[in-house]
């Protein structure tokens, strides 16, 4: 977004384009004119923001020519220019089906072209940030992304919740890209990985001599991210004292480096993420309530993959395509059985797990279709109901066995979290008490062992 | 549910049509150009299309002739600020269902859709 957007005008005409060049330059665009048959057109190195495709003078092969030009960067929007001719409607329809953004008849007013260019670039930029596969069909996720889009241009702190692997980091980067800070840095720190003292040095930096080994002054992430956005993942893992310091940054936009005395001003947009329920953490005195209120102005709770199953086919397509490209494979799809399994599997690791499974399968698969056998090799869990590693019973029976294992594990987990309190557990799992009792009996779970 | 597509480059007209038609319980999709309207119509079915004539890029007249090739059945309500009888004549020769001039009257907008639905035997 920093450099002048490059526009490529592909034309066989030898007319004078100097007016167009200077007029677009005034609006901050750089225009390069090339002939569709020159080699440079087909292999342009720098990705243009937009292609203007002059149809005049080209014969019936115009679609092939366009395809060749777009081969390297199929996502770049194209606007077609043409003299009005009787055949133009047919051509326009073909070109729009080819993915052309719009069609402009000559002679045109440059201002009209400018409006189209602006609109096409804006749309393609939004598409790049929010590709279809991320948006998906799930209404909950669509609502969340719309809210993310709305709050992105503000400087408010955003809290992103959701299980691990649901795409919290991706959503945070969308917010950054759609904000006015998008020309500055986007930095992230995983708070779970660090001890309190290292974490504070990382965040706020330290002065020379602040502690043994601090021979030079070091700037922290809040200074490095100046003007940009900082994502703190797993915020619930920070200590109460670090939380107090974060509160100060949010409220006063300043911090004191480790070993320093004078506060340092900073302008950083904070996004925090967690897979924990912060309200529960507050009850257990592990999270500061005042900080929670500060970061909770907008919360985006990303649904787990098992609650947005309608999007699983979309992800499968996307990741298969991605790894086909990276690995040079030609996998077209998967057996129906694999598909059914993918839809019924609970995906505890969410999208991240789905992607990693598809990556592994893409590597080992040397047929055009992924088979259930390969899935079993990769996902040991699929074998947990069959000791010899192979399924012997029908799909339904195996699926039921698998579900039973899941239910038992889920309920035991639930009982640990709720200290054997059935009412609490039922509420948490959003099931009725009687259903829970029934399941506990079914799996022969002894509730008393969960009460302390 | 009756699905209406609105193609107009003017934000206020789009908003006005969205408000008026949503109130009637129709599902309204908005686009700002003829080419976007064509992409939408290629991808899904609509019961009515509201179409502006003067738009950047592909204009309304070209859009109509293109849409007639994709889906000749879709009823089109032309919305334009052009009050000249010549334009009205040109557009009506393209066999559109209704012709409304701006500024739009919400009653006329509602009537236009009701009339189209009635002609098609209701949806």
């Amino acid at each position: 977004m920093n450099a002048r957007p490059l526009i490529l005008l592909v034309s066989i005409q030898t007319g004078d384009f100097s007016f167009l060049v200077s007029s677009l330059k005034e609006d901050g665009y750089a225009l390069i004119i090339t002939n569709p048959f020159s080699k440079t057109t087909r292999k342009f190195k720098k990705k243009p923001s937009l292609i203007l495709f002059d149809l005049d003078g080209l014969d019936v092969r115009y679609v092939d020519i366009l395809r060749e030009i777009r081969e390297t960067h199929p996502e770049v929007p194209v606007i077609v220019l043409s003299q009005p001719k009787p055949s133009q409607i047919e051509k326009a329809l073909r070109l729009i089906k080819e993915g052309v953004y719009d069609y402009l008849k000559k002679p045109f007013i440059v201002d009209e072209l400018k409006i189209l260019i602006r609109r096409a670039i804006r749309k393609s930029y939004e598409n790049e940030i929010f590709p279809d596969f991320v948006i998906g069909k799930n209404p909950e996720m669509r609502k969340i992304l719309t809210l993310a889009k709305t709050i992105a241009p503000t400087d408010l702190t955003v809290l992103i919740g959701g299980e691990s692997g649901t795409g919290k980091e991706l959503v945070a980067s969308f917010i950054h890209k759609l904000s006015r800070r998008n020309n500055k840095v986007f930095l992230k720190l995983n708070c779970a990985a660090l001890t309190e003292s290292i974490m504070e040095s990382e965040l706020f930096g330290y002065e020379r001599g602040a502690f043994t080994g601090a021979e030079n002054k070091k700037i922290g992430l809040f200074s490095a991210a100046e003007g940009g956005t900082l994502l703190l993942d797993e915020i619930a893992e920070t200590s109460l004292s670090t939380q107090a310091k974060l509160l100060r940054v949010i409220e006063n936009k300043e911090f004191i480096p480790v070993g320093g005395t004078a506060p340092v001003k900073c302008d950083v947009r904070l996004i925090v993420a967690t897979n924990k329920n912060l309200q529960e953490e507050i009850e257990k005195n592990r999270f500061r309530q005042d900080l929670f209120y500060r970061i909770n102005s907008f919360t985006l709770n990303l649904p787990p993959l098992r609650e947005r199953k309608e999007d699983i086919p979309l992800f499968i397509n996307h990741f298969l395509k991605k790894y086909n490209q990276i690995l040079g494979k030609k996998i077209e799809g998967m057996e129906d059985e694999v598909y059914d399994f993918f839809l019924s599997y609970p995906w505890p690791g969410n999208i991240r797990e789905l992607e990693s499974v598809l990556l592994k399968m893409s590597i080992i698969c040397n047929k055009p279709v992924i088979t259930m056998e390969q899935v079993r090799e990769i996902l040991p869990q699929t074998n947990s109901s069959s000791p010899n590693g192979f399924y012997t019973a029908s799909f339904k029976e195996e699926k039921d066995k698998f579900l039973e294992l899941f239910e038992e594990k889920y309920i035991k987990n639930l009982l640990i979290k709720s200290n054997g309190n059935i009412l609490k557990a039922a509420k948490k799992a959003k099931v009725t008490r009687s259903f829970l009792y029934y399941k506990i009996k079914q799996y022969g779970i002894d509730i008393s062992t969960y009460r302390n | 549910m009756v699905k209406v597509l609105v193609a107009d480059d003017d934000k206020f007209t789009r908003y006005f049509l969205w408000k008026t038609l949503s109130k009637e319980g129709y599902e309204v999709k908005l686009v700002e150009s003829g080419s976007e309207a064509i992409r939408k119509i290629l991808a899904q079915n609509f019961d009515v299309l509201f179409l502006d004539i003067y738009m950047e890029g592909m204009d309304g007249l070209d859009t109509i002739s293109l849409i007639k090739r994709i889906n000749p059945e879709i009823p089109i309500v032309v919305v334009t600020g052009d009050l000249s009888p010549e334009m009205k004549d040109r557009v009506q020769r393209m066999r559109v269902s209704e012709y409304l001039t701006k500024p739009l009257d919400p009653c006329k907008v509602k009537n236009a859709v009701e009339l189209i639905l009635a002609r098609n035997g209701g949806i």
Side-chain angles (χ1 to χ4, degrees):
Chain A
M1 288 295 279
N2 297 337
R4 293 152 70 91
L6 177 70
I7 295 175
L8 198 68
L9 169 61
V10 182
S11 176
I12 200 168
Q13 307 290 98
T14 45
D16 185 12
F17 292 111
S18 57
F19 176 67
L20 198 58
V21 175
S22 64
S23 174
L24 287 174
K25 197 176 166 190
E26 257 172 46
D27 275 29
Y29 300 108
L31 184 73
I32 294 179
I33 304 163
T34 55
N35 185 298
F37 297 109
S38 79
K39 278 182 187 159
T40 45
T41 304
R42 294 178 196 187
K43 288 210 166 77
F44 44 86
K45 277 184 197 140
K46 191 171 176 279
K47 179 180 165 188
S49 299
L50 183 119
I51 296 170
L52 293 173
F53 186 62
D54 188 353
L55 210 52
D56 293 335
L58 297 179
D59 58 14
V60 285
R61 288 173 300 163
Y62 65 96
V63 174
D64 297 327
I65 294 168
L66 180 66
R67 278 187 193 158
E68 259 180 63
I69 295 168
R70 297 183 81 195
E71 211 177 325
T72 26
H73 297 294
E75 70 282 11
V76 173
V78 178
I79 295 173
V80 173
L81 310 172
S82 149
Q83 291 286 353
K85 282 188 197 138
S87 60
Q88 61 147 342
I89 288 297
E90 286 299 334
K91 284 186 179 171
L93 183 56
R94 263 200 89 178
L95 289 166
I96 284 183
K97 282 184 180 167
E98 269 308 299
V100 156
Y101 178 74
D102 214 325
Y103 190 96
L104 191 58
K105 268 188 286 190
K106 294 185 203 168
F108 52 82
I109 305 162
V110 177
D111 283 342
E112 186 180 354
L113 178 65
K114 282 182 184 170
I115 291 175
L116 281 183
I117 290 174
R118 247 197 322 268
R119 208 188 269 164
I121 292 178
R122 192 193 69 214
K123 286 255 153 91
S124 79
Y125 185 59
E126 277 181 14
N127 271 348
E128 224 173 88
I129 297 175
F130 281 109
D132 279 347
F133 87 91
V134 174
I135 299 172
K137 294 178 178 158
N138 180 273
E140 185 65 22
M141 196 62 196
R142 291 184 82 110
K143 243 195 264 165
I144 288 169
L145 289 177
T146 311
L147 179 61
K149 237 178 182 174
T150 316
I151 55 179
T154 70
D155 267 342
L156 289 170
T157 304
V158 183
L159 172 62
I160 305 177
E163 290 176 15
S164 114
T166 47
K168 296 190 288 285
E169 199 177 311
L170 203 63
V171 172
S173 82
F174 292 156
I175 294 174
H176 172 71
K177 282 183 189 159
L178 287 171
S179 74
R180 63 174 174 83
R181 299 172 178 268
N182 62 12
N183 53 354
K184 298 277 169 55
V185 287
F186 171 61
L187 299 177
K188 51 207 161 195
L189 180 71
N190 186 326
C191 305
L194 306 171
T195 62
E196 183 180 328
S197 58
I198 295 179
M199 162 106 187
E200 290 190 1
S201 313
E202 280 297 314
L203 284 176
F204 310 117
Y206 50 77
E207 297 292 342
R208 192 173 161 212
F211 46 82
T212 328
E215 282 157 13
N216 290 307
K217 180 182 165 147
K218 177 193 148 93
I219 69 158
L221 286 172
F222 274 109
S223 300
E226 180 66 22
T229 308
L230 178 61
L231 165 67
L232 297 180
D233 200 359
E234 308 218 33
I235 186 80
E237 307 306 321
T238 49
S239 70
L240 289 169
S241 106
T242 309
Q243 288 168 23
K245 288 172 186 158
L246 287 173
L247 183 67
R248 179 182 180 138
V249 180
I250 296 173
E251 283 185 338
N252 305 333
K253 302 206 173 305
E254 62 179 31
F255 61 88
I256 299 174
V258 178
T261 44
V264 179
K265 281 275 170 208
C266 71
D267 168 31
V268 172
R269 203 248 184 102
L270 203 58
I271 299 177
V272 298
T274 180
N275 51 14
K276 292 220 168 128
N277 181 337
L278 289 184
Q279 206 81 57
E280 277 175 21
E281 297 298 300
I282 291 170
E283 278 165 30
K284 290 176 190 155
N285 284 329
R286 287 205 289 246
F287 203 81
R288 291 181 65 116
Q289 196 155 24
D290 46 6
L291 180 63
F292 176 71
Y293 289 135
R294 271 297 179 175
I295 60 179
N296 191 31
S297 41
F298 279 101
T299 304
L300 309 172
N301 271 322
L302 308 188
L305 188 54
R306 60 182 174 280
E307 282 170 23
R308 48 184 298 209
K309 294 209 157 151
E310 63 269 53
D311 289 339
I312 289 179
L314 219 62
F315 290 130
I316 294 176
N317 275 342
H318 170 75
F319 290 128
L320 281 183
K321 223 164 138 189
K322 173 175 166 186
Y323 290 117
N324 268 345
Q325 218 167 34
I326 294 175
L327 303 168
K329 297 253 178 161
K330 286 203 171 86
I331 301 170
E332 282 160 22
M334 37 181 62
E335 282 179 341
D336 285 353
E337 198 187 336
V338 181
Y339 223 84
D340 287 343
F341 168 75
F342 268 53
L343 289 177
S344 62
Y345 183 69
W347 298 110
N350 293 298
I351 304 169
R352 189 181 290 133
E353 184 184 12
L354 176 69
E355 176 170 7
S356 109
V357 168
L358 286 170
L359 166 63
K360 288 181 200 158
M361 294 210 291
S362 299
I363 293 171
I364 62 164
C365 182
N366 44 19
K367 292 174 202 156
V369 173
I370 290 170
T371 62
M372 197 60 207
E373 222 165 284
Q374 287 162 342
V375 179
R376 274 181 213 124
E377 275 175 45
I378 285 159
L379 271 179
Q381 297 97 307
T382 54
N383 295 331
S384 50
S385 65
S386 52
N388 59 4
F390 287 98
Y391 292 112
T392 43
S394 72
F395 176 73
K396 190 181 176 313
E397 279 169 310
E398 291 289 0
K399 189 175 139 190
D400 288 346
K401 262 194 244 170
F402 181 78
L403 278 181
E404 276 174 14
L405 278 172
F406 158 73
E407 283 188 354
E408 189 179 350
K409 199 172 156 197
Y410 183 92
I411 289 166
K412 281 182 176 167
N413 249 324
L414 191 65
L415 289 171
I416 293 172
K417 274 195 194 161
S418 54
N419 292 327
N421 182 328
I422 299 288
L423 189 66
K424 240 181 171 177
K427 255 190 193 164
K428 212 177 250 176
K430 292 190 181 154
V431 295
T432 61
R433 218 160 26 137
S434 54
F435 174 81
L436 201 55
Y437 268 123
Y438 168 75
K439 287 288 171 194
I440 286 169
K441 209 175 145 196
Q442 182 186 342
Y443 297 113
I445 299 168
D446 180 8
I447 311 175
S448 63
T449 56
Y450 294 93
R451 293 188 177 136
N452 46 14
Chain B
M1 198 184 216
V2 175
K3 282 200 209 158
V4 183
L5 179 64
V6 171
D8 198 309
D9 61 345
D10 175 47
K11 194 158 79 177
F12 296 102
T13 310
R14 281 199 304 273
Y15 176 69
F16 172 84
L17 285 170
W18 173 79
K19 216 173 89 182
T20 312
L21 296 165
S22 305
K23 256 192 210 159
E24 296 302 298
Y26 307 138
E27 187 184 324
V28 186
K29 285 255 155 70
L30 305 175
V31 293
E32 55 184 337
S33 72
S35 59
E36 276 179 79
I38 289 159
R39 269 192 287 277
K40 280 267 182 245
I41 285 172
L42 281 170
Q44 51 179 302
N45 281 325
F46 287 94
D47 301 306
V48 184
L49 165 67
F50 277 78
L51 184 68
D52 184 21
I53 291 295
Y54 295 117
M55 289 184 286
E56 292 85 13
M58 198 177 301
D59 65 27
L61 298 174
D62 283 347
T63 308
I64 295 174
S65 17
L66 247 162
I67 285 171
K68 291 279 177 195
R69 275 158 215 255
I70 303 167
N71 178 2
E73 306 298 320
I74 181 169
I76 300 174
V77 181
V78 166
V79 171
T80 177
D82 190 333
L83 304 178
S84 70
E86 293 81 26
M87 180 53 87
K88 187 167 181 175
D89 189 48
R90 262 183 91 180
V91 169
Q92 284 184 332
R93 263 187 282 138
M94 300 181 91
R95 290 178 290 125
V96 300
S97 304
E98 299 290 327
Y99 189 86
L100 303 177
T101 49
K102 295 179 189 176
L104 289 170
D105 170 356
C107 286
K108 284 189 180 159
V109 169
K110 278 186 250 172
N111 285 345
V113 182
E114 277 163 18
L115 204 64
I116 286 168
L117 296 180
R119 266 189 229 135
N120 288 355
I123 294 170

